[in-house]
Amino acid sequence: MKNKRYIMDRSIKILQDKDSYLDLRKQERVTLLEILDRALTKGVVISGDIVISLADVDLVYLGLKVLLSSVETMERLRGAPMAGAQEEPT
Amino acid sequence: MNTRQAQDGLIYLYCITDKVPKLKKIENLVDKPYFIYQQSLYAIVNRVKESEFAEDNLKRNLADLEWIKAKARSHEKAIEVIMKNAGVIPFKLATLFNSEDNLKAMLREHLEEFKDILVKLEDKEEWGVKIYCNLEKLKEGLMQEDGQLLNIDKEISSSVSGKAYFLKKKKEELLNIAENKKLNEYGQVSFDSLREESVQARINKLLPKEVTERKEEMILNSAFLIDKDKIDDFLNTVENLKIRYVDKCIFFDCTGPWPPYNFCNL
């Protein structure tokens, strides 16, 4: 039944995990992340006259970090996330 | 020639389609969209300012968060709207040409490839599944269910400090191994069962926490190309995985339908 709802309302892009709260800001953040994860790193890359280099994409991601933290300043107060936590679990 | 010279600016390419695009519907998203036709293909474009998109200016703007946010959204939205009535080949954000002639030359060069891609994508949708794991909770769970770890814990509490130190090291090591094994298993099982419902599947680079800003670690970043009449099955599979892993601190973000960014490589 639940899936039917998703199908019927395709305009709602985010099928959030039911455990995470459906805060609008969070949805907004997820949407932006999803868009950038595609539009910046995927899509057809041709030798157009001006092309964003990979280095620029990384730059964008660094920017995204700041952007997202400004959206969720409150959440940021809990402290900075650890880098590479998956490779080197502590 | 003169008119072209007078029309300054760059050509921004959003996507290619093989049906007459309904441009009216994207007029509120991008400034004065139009199409360039070339041997059965329509390239959806508009003119953008050099002060915004010429190389150096573009680099500067890419550091401007609000600018990226706005451009990424309009790029995505415009393609999505076109996609409602036609198959599309989406281009990367800020794909730019100095002139219409350059764009046409590119279209001619890749004409057959573009046509093939559009045939391949017909009646299919791209969906994305990102899986996250709360590593702290996963470890807590492992400590309680893994016999070997439980035993070592008991041994630590009854050992003198020197031995306890080495046992703790050993425990950490075992915990890491058990954790990686579980993560691989969850990721693999999920990916495999989703892949079964798809025509094509892709695993992408994991995004670090700095980017996702979630407390959970991303353990799978995947994209699927799915037959339109199989979307229900695919979403059911996602739901079933959620149920299967409901106690395992695993979270799924399933999104779509997307323009087929992941499935139109030249």
Side-chain angles (χ1 to χ4, degrees), chain A residues 5-88:
Chain A
R5 182 169 59 84
Y6 293 150
I7 292 296
M8 280 158 59
D9 196 359
R10 287 285 187 77
S11 58
I12 296 175
K13 231 182 209 315
I14 306 304
L15 312 181
Q16 270 278 4
D17 191 282
K18 62 170 175 270
D19 292 343
S20 51
Y21 55 100
L22 281 167
D23 178 40
L24 268 181
R25 275 181 174 175
K26 190 152 189 165
Q27 271 205 17
E28 185 83 338
R29 194 194 69 189
V30 174
T31 308
L32 183 62
L33 175 71
E34 295 286 349
I35 290 175
L36 291 180
D37 190 31
R38 288 176 176 79
L40 282 174
T41 62
K42 308 284 154 25
V44 176
V45 184
I46 39 93
S47 42
D49 295 333
I50 298 170
V51 181
I52 303 181
S53 72
L54 273 179
D56 293 324
V57 170
D58 288 341
L59 180 73
V60 169
Y61 275 151
L62 285 178
L64 181 64
K65 178 190 176 186
V66 183
L67 168 73
L68 297 179
S69 53
S70 71
V71 170
E72 289 191 23
T73 314
M74 291 310 286
E75 266 200 42
R76 291 289 292 170
L77 293 175
R78 66 187 150 76
M82 273 189 299
Q86 200 193 359
E87 285 77 30
E88 290 169 30

